[in-house]
Amino acid sequence: MCELLGMSANVPTDICFSFKGLKERGGRTGPHKDGWGVAFYENKGVCTFKDALPSYQSEIARLVSDYPIKSCAVIAHVRQANRGRVALENTHPFSRELWGRYWTYAHNGQLSDYQQLPVDRFTPVGTTDSERAFCYLLSALDKRYPDKPPSRKVAFKFIQRQCKTLQKLGVFNMLLTDGEYLLTYCSTKLHWITRRAPFGMARLSDVDVDIDFSRETTPDDVVTIIATEPLTNNEQWHQMQSGESQLFRYGEALA
Amino acid sequence: MCELLGMSANVPTDICFSFKGLKERGGRTGPHKDGWGVAFYENKGVCTFKDALPSYQSEIARLVSDYPIKSCAVIAHVRQANRGRVALENTHPFSRELWGRYWTYAHNGQLSDYQQLPVDRFTPVGTTDSERAFCYLLSALDKRYPDKPPSRKVAFKFIQRQCKTLQKLGVFNMLLTDGEYLLTYCSTKLHWITRRAPFGMARLSDVDVDIDFSRETTPDDVVTIIATEPLTNNEQWHQMQSGESQLFRYGEALA
């Protein structure tokens, strides 16, 4: 399987601390050694770093964990291959443009009969079940709203419903963002935490690193971190239930 | 304006040497301080590093110039903004998926009346003339071959003809690749060089760096570098003419 990491924030925030934890699971404290990737949004633009190497050995991952790239929406993934060989084209996250925005997605799980999922406008480049499911979601969205949906929130609500269909094919934990909204879907395992004032200390589970968020933030900051497994061992994470989905925008969970 | 850099090779080759030269033009020896980017293909997969900072100051650019990422097809760009503000979404190269492959593109020049260029399936995310022209090219390609062209070479020949239309709107120097083929189009300025055995020494123009390619290569390697201005001062580069275009594949210029 794989591990997911996401961030939604109301001010550009770096993900160095959380990524340091995730990166260790990419081959050292976890078995996810078959590539990794992370996508950072800056307004409508997105920059994605990817590597088919284990993240704990990757020079690029080292840069990402040390160099504070500030963003309001981030999706990261470490991979343990099941469907699709170890290759850059099978490395998450995946991105596509629709309606003049980049949509970025990562998946944890395994699907059966995924080759039957109809894709139309969006074609997979690699051979994973994950990318096929992403192309299915965006193709379905484009088909449902050929002239754009009334709002992006409506688009995300539509995707939430499609995720229920995908869950029937197997394990489908997912993160999807357009740089402003970030959608989570839990089929078996996904946790999130929202940090806001008063900020405190946090300690990573996978490596001996502490952070005092009160030194790194302003009182108005709201930052949500989503991860397959909690990344810290001294904070209370919200555990999502099977079939539960949650939409975030600028750090806040939306109703 | 901007500067372009491309590579087409028959074996995975790093672009550290050439990128070291280009990166200096991004704010130090050249005025192209408004962002930079580089896309590396690994078979059908692509990884794109981008930054809206000047490349000569960018930590990410330093990594790219020092860390040998091996690829058979690379496109890089340093930007001096004219159309479109300095922002990640306006930073080249741009990528889109079509027919299950990623197409990646960068442009040097400036176009008038570019808002009139019809785009259909592909919508610009940013506000540059460059990205609009890219969306125009891919939309036209998709419209011409709704069920895929008979070969990708045919697709590139079609794009070559569309480039002539774009040249009528202003200055249009361009690189476009699908990871296997790499197309160049010259409207005012573009140079290329093919290096093959016997390999010799090369010296960068923009920074005091030499390389002995005979130590870095095997006798069968064929590597073509394309750049706005020659990057070395002791080799003979081929200067392209206005309206000339050249398709490369695995380092070789195709007829």
Side-chain angles (χ1 to χ4, degrees), chain B residues 28 36 41 51 59-60 64 69 76 85-86 147 153 156 202 218 220 235 238 252:
Chain B
R28 203 183 64 85
W36 67 277
Y41 276 82
D51 203 335
E59 267 301 301
I60 308 169
V64 169
I69 301 170
R85 70 189 180 99
V86 178
D147 301 312
K153 204 168 165 187
F156 279 101
T218 71
D220 296 330
E235 296 176 301
H238 172 85
E252 299 285 1

Side-chain angles (χ1 to χ4, degrees), chain A residues 79-120:
Chain A
R79 178 166 189 239
Q80 186 181 12
N82 45 60
R83 311 270 189 231
R85 68 187 182 101
V86 178
L88 187 59
E89 69 264 27
N90 288 336
T91 304
H92 308 222
F94 303 101
S95 289
R96 293 288 190 278
E97 172 268 317
L98 176 61
W99 303 317
R101 290 194 84 100
Y102 296 117
W103 300 68
T104 298
Y105 152 106
H107 166 228
N108 152 246
Q110 192 163 350
L111 303 177
S112 307
D113 297 325
Y114 60 94
Q115 294 94 340
Q116 320 303 325
L117 287 169
V119 297
D120 181 26

Side-chain angles (χ1 to χ4, degrees), chain B:
Chain B
M1 308 284 265
C2 313
E3 293 217 20
L4 296 170
L5 170 64
M7 186 182 78
S8 170
N10 68 342
V11 286
T13 303
D14 76 69
I15 199 165
C16 293
F17 175 72
S18 299
F19 189 78
K20 271 196 179 74
L22 183 78
K23 158 167 105 76
E24 296 300 309
R25 295 181 186 176
R28 203 183 64 85
T29 61
H32 316 93
K33 58 173 182 21
D34 300 325
W36 67 277
V38 56
F40 297 90
Y41 276 82
E42 239 180 75
N43 300 312
K44 292 173 78 181
V46 66
C47 178
T48 304
F49 299 82
K50 282 184 181 192
D51 203 335
L53 286 176
S55 58
Y56 88 104
Q57 290 178 329
S58 160
E59 267 301 301
I60 308 169
R62 198 191 46 71
L63 176 91
V64 169
S65 72
D66 289 344
Y67 179 61
I69 301 170
K70 307 243 177 193
S71 175
C72 291
V74 175
I75 286 185
H77 184 267
V78 289
R79 180 167 187 238
Q80 187 181 11
N82 45 60
R83 313 269 189 231
R85 70 189 180 99
V86 178
L88 188 59
E89 69 263 28
N90 288 336
T91 304
H92 309 221
F94 302 102
S95 287
R96 293 288 190 281
E97 172 267 315
L98 176 61
W99 303 316
R101 292 193 83 101
Y102 297 117
W103 299 69
T104 298
Y105 152 105
H107 166 228
N108 152 245
Q110 192 163 349
L111 304 176
S112 308
D113 297 324
Y114 61 93
Q115 294 93 341
Q116 320 304 325
L117 286 169
V119 296
D120 181 26
R121 178 173 146 178
F122 299 93
T123 311
V125 173
T127 52
T128 60
D129 50 353
S130 307
E131 191 190 8
R132 179 114 200 161
F134 178 45
C135 291
Y136 161 78
L137 287 173
L138 291 188
S139 294
L141 187 60
D142 178 54
K143 206 167 175 182
R144 172 68 186 82
Y145 298 106
D147 301 312
K148 250 180 142 167
S151 73
R152 273 178 289 138
K153 204 168 165 187
V154 166
F156 279 101
K157 292 284 170 192
F158 175 82
I159 292 171
Q160 277 180 329
R161 293 192 295 276
Q162 303 308 309
C163 289
K164 299 235 174 246
T165 308
L166 290 169
Q167 188 180 354
K168 289 179 193 149
L169 303 182
V171 176
F172 190 71
N173 302 298
M174 181 215 74
L175 303 179
L176 176 69
T177 183
D178 69 348
E180 184 177 327
Y181 292 88
L182 193 153
L183 179 68
T184 61
Y185 188 85
C186 174
S187 133
T188 57
K189 211 189 279 182
L190 207 53
H191 297 77
W192 58 269
I193 187 169
T194 300
R195 298 187 181 117
R196 61 177 87 231
F199 289 97
M201 292 284 294
R203 183 171 309 118
L204 287 180
S205 313
D206 293 77
V207 60
D208 193 15
V209 175
D210 289 337
I211 194 169
D212 181 355
F213 282 117
S214 66
R215 290 169 170 242
E216 311 276 332
T217 50
T218 71
D220 296 330
D221 293 7
V222 180
V223 181
T224 292
I225 300 288
I226 306 114
T228 299
E229 294 279 5
L231 288 161
T232 57
N233 55 21
N234 69 326
E235 296 176 301
Q236 191 61 43
W237 291 64
H238 172 85
Q239 179 173 2
M240 294 181 75
Q241 303 304 308
S242 180
E244 189 185 343
S245 118
Q246 180 64 55
L247 187 62
F248 297 91
R249 183 167 177 257
Y250 300 138
E252 299 285 1
L254 303 183

Side-chain angles (χ1 to χ4, degrees), chain A residues 187-222:
Chain A
S187 134
T188 56
K189 210 187 283 180
L190 207 53
H191 296 78
W192 59 268
I193 187 170
T194 301
R195 299 187 182 117
R196 62 176 87 231
F199 290 97
M201 291 285 294
R203 183 170 309 117
L204 288 180
S205 314
D206 294 77
V207 61
D208 193 15
V209 175
D210 288 336
I211 194 168
D212 181 354
F213 283 117
S214 66
R215 289 169 172 243
E216 312 276 332
T217 49
T218 71
D220 296 330
D221 294 8
V222 180

